[in-house]
Amino acid sequence: MFNEFGKIIKLTTYGESHGVALGGIIDGFPAGMPVDFDAVQRELDRRKPGQSKIVTQRKEDDKVEFLSGIFEGKTTGQSIGFIIRNTNQKSTDYEHNTRVFRPSHADFTYFHKYGIRDHRGGGRTSARETANWVVAGALSKQLLPLVSINAFVSSVGDIQVEKSLYDLDLTLTDSTIVRCPEKSTAEKMIEKIAEIKKDGDTIGGTITCIIKNVPVGLGEPVFDKLSARLAQAMMSINAAKGFEIGSGFEGTRLKGSEHNDIFIKGGKTLTNNSGGIQGGISNGMDIIFKIAFKPVATIMKEQTTIDENGDAAIIQGKGRHDPCVVPRAVPIVEALAALVLADFWLFNKVRRI
Amino acid sequence: MFNEFGKIIKLTTYGESHGVALGGIIDGFPAGMPVDFDAVQRELDRRKPGQSKIVTQRKEDDKVEFLSGIFEGKTTGQSIGFIIRNTNQKSTDYEHNTRVFRPSHADFTYFHKYGIRDHRGGGRTSARETANWVVAGALSKQLLPLVSINAFVSSVGDIQVEKSLYDLDLTLTDSTIVRCPEKSTAEKMIEKIAEIKKDGDTIGGTITCIIKNVPVGLGEPVFDKLSARLAQAMMSINAAKGFEIGSGFEGTRLKGSEHNDIFIKGGKTLTNNSGGIQGGISNGMDIIFKIAFKPVATIMKEQTTIDENGDAAIIQGKGRHDPCVVPRAVPIVEALAALVLADFWLFNKVRRI
Amino acid sequence: MFNEFGKIIKLTTYGESHGVALGGIIDGFPAGMPVDFDAVQRELDRRKPGQSKIVTQRKEDDKVEFLSGIFEGKTTGQSIGFIIRNTNQKSTDYEHNTRVFRPSHADFTYFHKYGIRDHRGGGRTSARETANWVVAGALSKQLLPLVSINAFVSSVGDIQVEKSLYDLDLTLTDSTIVRCPEKSTAEKMIEKIAEIKKDGDTIGGTITCIIKNVPVGLGEPVFDKLSARLAQAMMSINAAKGFEIGSGFEGTRLKGSEHNDIFIKGGKTLTNNSGGIQGGISNGMDIIFKIAFKPVATIMKEQTTIDENGDAAIIQGKGRHDPCVVPRAVPIVEALAALVLADFWLFNKVRRI
Amino acid sequence: MFNEFGKIIKLTTYGESHGVALGGIIDGFPAGMPVDFDAVQRELDRRKPGQSKIVTQRKEDDKVEFLSGIFEGKTTGQSIGFIIRNTNQKSTDYEHNTRVFRPSHADFTYFHKYGIRDHRGGGRTSARETANWVVAGALSKQLLPLVSINAFVSSVGDIQVEKSLYDLDLTLTDSTIVRCPEKSTAEKMIEKIAEIKKDGDTIGGTITCIIKNVPVGLGEPVFDKLSARLAQAMMSINAAKGFEIGSGFEGTRLKGSEHNDIFIKGGKTLTNNSGGIQGGISNGMDIIFKIAFKPVATIMKEQTTIDENGDAAIIQGKGRHDPCVVPRAVPIVEALAALVLADFWLFNKVRRI
């Protein structure tokens, strides 16, 4: 109910940051798909901690073990169980936080909702959970071989990509540790993050995602609009505070005569303010959306706060945290997009007799 | 599956713009709530067409008839069926569109997805559907009498509210036909829309929503985060292209030390960049979010387009359309917010033993 | 959640026996199917009250009005709303029951669960609800034109069909008012019911259903086994107390060597103890199941009971009730079977790449 | 979707008989319940193979490892992941079956549905899956400490329990290896199974279950009737072919005046033909139901069959199989009953304001 996503292909997950393992079950995945295990692990490696100097230094192998649903290299149509063991959970880093609440962190809300305080660390609120999503997303990508999904970091703090989307060479995204395909901007971002980290602080940013070769017809109005499902998925990522598709907030300033995407012979449109979705259904143009991520809440600076009794206290972060969430969120965004598309792609097969 | 929203309180809907009726079923609503039928109709009246010169002139009474689930003025715990008859469906306005696709409208995607063209008009893609949502939202509001939900128009095109949120008097929202509580700005907006309408064009805008007195603990991680569900709901509204909560896109520019909401004695926070939600769960502060609406696609100007064969064609809108969607979308935003909150409020009752 | 059935094709319903209307929404029905409206009404007519002397004399037209999702005679892929107005709700028949509970009726449990007593009559517990199911089932049947679903009355009290299933001419089922295809047995059943009715009493019975031409592969283990879903559906019918498939309870007495259905060249089996389902998936043989219905609880005889305070009371049924539920349950069983099969038929299209 | 059960407390599972592990995720379980791990393992031990001479000799420890959702001995409200490693999967036993289909087994239907043949053995169709259910059921039982759920073997082949239900001492159920509380009958059953096993054959049987101290009000009409959900659950068990509640098939022979359960002061009833459920909702009386299990399909005798090409073949079972499924199915029945009740118990908390 709560820890599941999708309708025909449904991912259900479990696992805490400082527990013994993460994992999940992918139900409803069609039989007969050859699995590229290396491709799955590559996606996990893109997300894992400790990859570079600008991300958390926690070391995790993030090796996934598939437990069922795949036989002789192919999916069997049965539920796919998988597990990722935690190997580097240093809960001692966190013990000092036991009684106080980290500002803008989920400590406070989890404690009041569930009546439980997991003093080992972020527990279920940790971004470690997203490793599960990457596994499911990597399989979903393989189900849609013609579709290409490319996310990249479009801003860090005030530093933004300068070129327009179609002038960027997206094959360069992973060539920089910040995952920005514009080299000069990437350098500024890296410098900025390094500086922020040195200062014990964190910084926000945005990720833009473009999806090509999506067939016309994906999405199911009225409450399963493709745009609405993508929004739900992306807003599920830790630290996400905003989502926009196509012209987004900027498009609100335009007139219909400026904003409308004029059809040309064959069904393509001259412009793409719609971001590839009209009436909640893909129209065959590129799907383009952007997500806002706030700065990570855990900083290495002293902050005033309260404890479990509601009394004033002082907190100073320790442990190993990302100074900026966006570089590692790139494969997460792609994974969730793949999950959404694969699910709708299957639905679309049964929407006409 | 597709035309339903919510989990314990689930709304399922039907109805086309030019069919005989709209309606829905509200399942899972608790027994024993006295229903204020006038309050339901008031919300419908706020949404209905023909209220003022700046909205569509289609005339609909939008009278809801409850068919079940309410007995002697109280909910019975049984499914609540309701129906809203269409009384003013002029499909002749639309007939000229039969063979051509309106730019940036869902005509094209529906035709290609379902293989059906409803030449009477927008069919299921029409915003008439949202009358159903308002009915369900109005009942949900009554389930949460202490919670106050106030949406208002925060921009039309380039014209934006000038005061900060907490300086606005939200009791004034409905005193202007554009539903902006800042009188001077409202006048500019009305003038702008009137001008746009005269020109046969349309314009975008934004709606901001603030929800007060939400108990701590609503929202169910990891995929049913309160923020993610609100995003899905709001992105289901016709013409919605963006959603942000709390600091949103602006917050991506900040450092953690600037963005973090410092707790004060008792559990409130000094600032509210989180927009009332931390880790996907309400923290007791006001929930604040904003939605971007693109300009309505149907304009009264000539546009080039294609027909069902993919050949070039000319289209000119006729019929009765809103020049700007935001004034009428205000009660829709509030209704969906109420649905989301009521559902999570019930769930929260069973999350601890 | 509660008033819905199915996963891709999902029926959600509302309506009380003595309310203004019944109705439902069929979501997920594929686009492009021509609708045979007469066939829908024929199924409703088979179920409706007042058809013969052995069923309730309440008179209802049971005319269905489709409100959406069908355009120019074809399904559009949008949610199909429908309504059946109640025209003959005589709640005065029931007023004397206001304060006392009818033995073995749902009065007591509904009152204690919801805290509400609908003194007009059975409310949501009435078998009038099943008219909604018949509408959805009739459309589902049209989606599966090759499949034939035939239910019939196999026993009334102690009177049982004598011939074996494959010796019966099922085209005769509707030629008797009791819906038993064996004429001589049908006469005895009719006589029995008439006698029971005269005595102010009621009697139980069974319905057997055989489904031919089901493709191999319908059903989704492990919890959506075809047999499990059929059981859930059939046990949802008012007064159902038992369900068995294939050899059922009798098969428990057999040895594996006697019970196993031996495959013959091509994939058919020599016997069909499995009732057409192995491992929860249809195997291409006829699906055969049987449902037990208890005698209707409302009798025209004096019974001791209790009132809402738990005190002793006397009750005597009035009103118009069926002396035996099985003749009218035949089209209901077929409708639910069609719903289950249509849903699994769609799922099966997306279970292999 | 397919491998999940329940609505608020939802169990999702994975795992094949000859894969590396089984496991599942329990989502929606309330926070704050102290977990009795020994009690969980005791239930698993009751189900596990190799317990006695009359069950399969496969040796599995069936040790469950909880991976999340429990902290310091209490549930946290987060999803509970668990895993049971397979330790004794001898797939060589099965290799001879690679190309032929076992009569009345799911080999044939799985192969035709998914296009995959798992030649290691039963795969997902194996009753090993039910170990997952027992884990979830054991936790659910702990959520309902006042409710007692007791299943027992009521027949093996023609050998039936002789005493009436309320004359049996159900504390004796586990004192016999066949799990029949009537010692003299148990001996006959054991002898029968031993004889059947020696002969390389299998035999069917029935299980009866009685649940005491169920609060009034569990169950959610119309499609989530408590009886319908129990039926779905029980018919999900391997080899289940029938389900009846209360008077079941026998009750169809009775008149209403004989069958009705007369209320006595306080709300109890004189008889319990309803089996504790009226209108789909528990009425506070004992819930009583019975399940029919066919003989296990895999026998050690030669049978004619077909191979994957549809050609005639001969098969002779090898491997380690249960000669009779009912002794080990007793804890499975109890586990599923507990799951159903716990889910409805939570729902019932939010059905009235």
Side-chain angles (χ1 to χ4, degrees), chain C residues 10-306:
Chain C
K10 184 179 282 189
L11 171 67
T12 310
T13 63
Y14 67 85
E16 291 114 28
S17 170
H18 296 80
V20 288
L22 311 168
I25 301 175
I26 306 163
D27 198 2
F29 207 92
M33 189 189 82
V35 175
D36 181 340
F37 294 100
D38 291 340
V40 177
Q41 193 59 50
R42 267 199 306 277
E43 293 296 326
L44 277 170
D45 290 346
R46 293 176 75 205
R47 194 215 70 93
K48 77 176 179 187
Q51 299 166 63
S52 78
K53 64 180 181 186
I54 61 168
V55 301
T56 174
Q57 296 307 301
R58 177 169 171 167
K59 293 286 181 195
E60 287 285 356
D61 274 347
D62 281 358
K63 291 291 176 204
V64 63
E65 180 187 12
F66 287 102
L67 303 165
S68 67
I70 300 173
F71 181 60
E72 297 183 336
K74 281 188 180 172
T75 57
T76 64
Q78 309 313 310
S79 49
I80 300 171
F82 64 88
I83 188 169
I84 301 169
R85 293 270 170 188
N86 285 329
T87 57
N88 191 234
Q89 62 273 40
K90 283 202 201 168
S91 57
T92 50
D93 286 348
Y94 299 85
E95 270 165 21
H96 58 291
N97 289 338
T98 304
R99 302 275 163 239
V100 294
F101 295 120
R102 287 172 284 180
S104 284
H105 199 278
D107 288 346
F108 177 85
T109 52
Y110 269 66
F111 178 70
H112 281 89
K113 182 179 182 70
Y114 303 109
I116 298 278
R117 186 75 192 271
D118 183 343
H119 58 66
R120 296 170 301 175
R124 191 81 182 124
T125 72
S126 162
R128 271 202 71 62
E129 157 70 8
T130 60
N132 290 325
W133 310 354
V134 168
V135 172
L139 291 180
S140 298
K141 274 187 178 180
Q142 296 178 29
L143 199 58
L144 305 170
L146 299 178
V147 173
S148 76
I149 304 175
N150 284 289
F152 62 91
V153 171
S154 43
S155 74
V156 168
D158 286 323
I159 306 164
Q160 300 186 50
V161 162
E162 287 170 11
K163 283 188 191 154
S164 73
L165 178 55
Y166 286 97
D167 290 333
L168 293 171
D169 177 358
L170 297 182
T171 64
L172 299 179
T173 298
D174 276 13
S175 70
T176 67
I177 57 175
V178 74
R179 290 210 171 88
C180 170
E182 195 172 54
K183 287 272 177 184
S184 55
T185 306
E187 279 163 29
K188 287 182 215 158
M189 289 171 169
I190 294 165
E191 195 176 347
K192 179 72 174 178
I193 295 173
E195 177 192 312
I196 286 281
K197 187 187 170 192
K198 199 173 155 193
D199 199 33
D201 215 330
T202 59
I203 185 85
T206 62
I207 289 178
T208 297
C209 184
I210 176 166
I211 313 178
K212 290 172 179 292
N213 294 325
V214 179
V216 182
L218 305 196
E220 299 290 342
V222 294
F223 290 114
D224 275 325
K225 290 189 169 88
L226 180 47
S227 36
R229 275 275 162 222
L230 285 170
Q232 185 202 354
M234 300 306 154
M235 293 298 288
S236 298
I237 307 176
N238 308 50
K241 300 300 280 185
F243 173 85
E244 59 180 14
I245 192 147
S247 63
F249 281 90
E250 272 306 301
T252 67
R253 300 171 180 274
L254 298 181
K255 294 190 282 189
S257 58
E258 298 163 332
H259 190 276
N260 281 351
D261 296 317
I262 300 301
F263 286 109
I264 53 177
K265 216 169 138 67
K268 296 285 170 190
T269 60
L270 278 177
T271 49
N272 186 13
N273 287 313
S274 300
I277 298 175
Q278 283 166 343
I281 299 170
S282 62
N283 68 352
M285 299 294 290
D286 295 345
I287 292 177
I288 298 164
F289 59 87
K290 194 175 179 177
I291 308 133
F293 294 93
K294 68 166 190 170
V296 171
T298 307
I299 60 176
M300 302 299 117
K301 296 181 154 206
E302 216 173 75
Q303 297 173 94
T304 58
T305 186
I306 54 170

Side-chain angles (χ1 to χ4, degrees), chain A residues 1-5 7 11 13 101-106 108-115 124 129 133 155 157-158 160 196 199 201-206 216-225 227-229 231-232 235-236 238 241-249 251-257 259-267 273-275 277-279 281-283 290-297 299 301 303-306 310-312 336 347-348 351-352, chain B residues 1-5 7 11 13 101-106 108-115 124 129 133 155 157-158 160 196 199 201-206 216-225 227-229 231-232 235-236 238 241-249 251-257 259-267 273-275 277-279 281-283 290-297 299 301 303-306 310-312 336 347-348 351-352:
Chain A
M1 183 67 79
F2 312 126
N3 293 279
E4 68 184 31
F5 189 77
K7 297 203 165 181
L11 171 67
T13 64
F101 295 120
R102 286 172 285 180
S104 284
H105 198 279
F108 177 85
T109 52
Y110 268 65
F111 178 70
H112 281 90
K113 182 179 182 69
Y114 302 109
R124 191 80 183 125
E129 157 69 8
W133 310 354
S155 73
D158 285 322
Q160 300 187 51
I196 285 281
D199 198 33
D201 215 330
T202 59
I203 185 86
T206 63
V216 181
L218 305 196
E220 299 291 339
V222 293
F223 290 113
D224 275 325
K225 292 191 168 86
S227 36
R229 276 274 162 223
Q232 185 202 353
M235 292 298 289
S236 298
N238 309 50
K241 300 301 279 184
F243 174 85
E244 58 180 13
I245 193 148
S247 62
F249 281 90
T252 66
R253 300 170 181 273
L254 299 182
K255 293 190 281 188
S257 57
H259 189 277
N260 281 351
D261 295 317
I262 300 303
F263 285 108
I264 52 177
K265 215 169 140 67
N273 287 314
S274 300
I277 298 175
Q278 284 166 342
I281 300 170
S282 63
N283 69 351
K290 193 174 181 179
I291 309 134
F293 294 93
K294 68 166 189 169
V296 171
I299 60 177
K301 298 182 153 206
Q303 297 173 94
T304 59
T305 187
I306 54 170
D311 294 328
L336 290 175
F347 263 127
N348 205 38
R351 301 301 288 123
R352 292 166 72 160
Chain B
M1 183 67 80
F2 312 127
N3 294 279
E4 67 184 30
F5 189 77
K7 297 201 166 182
L11 170 67
T13 64
F101 294 120
R102 286 172 285 180
S104 284
H105 198 279
F108 177 85
T109 51
Y110 268 67
F111 178 70
H112 281 89
K113 181 178 182 70
Y114 301 108
R124 191 79 183 126
E129 157 70 7
W133 310 354
S155 73
D158 285 322
Q160 299 186 51
I196 285 281
D199 198 33
D201 214 332
T202 59
I203 186 84
T206 62
V216 182
L218 305 197
E220 298 290 339
V222 292
F223 290 114
D224 275 324
K225 291 189 169 88
S227 36
R229 275 275 161 222
Q232 185 202 354
M235 293 297 289
S236 297
N238 308 52
K241 301 300 278 185
F243 173 85
E244 59 179 12
I245 192 148
S247 62
F249 280 90
T252 66
R253 300 171 181 273
L254 298 181
K255 293 190 280 188
S257 57
H259 190 276
N260 281 351
D261 295 317
I262 300 302
F263 286 108
I264 52 177
K265 217 169 138 68
N273 288 313
S274 300
I277 298 175
Q278 284 166 342
I281 299 170
S282 64
N283 69 351
K290 193 173 180 180
I291 308 134
F293 294 93
K294 68 165 190 171
V296 171
I299 59 177
K301 297 181 154 205
Q303 297 174 93
T304 59
T305 186
I306 56 170
D311 294 328
L336 290 175
F347 263 126
N348 204 39
R351 300 300 289 121
R352 294 166 72 159

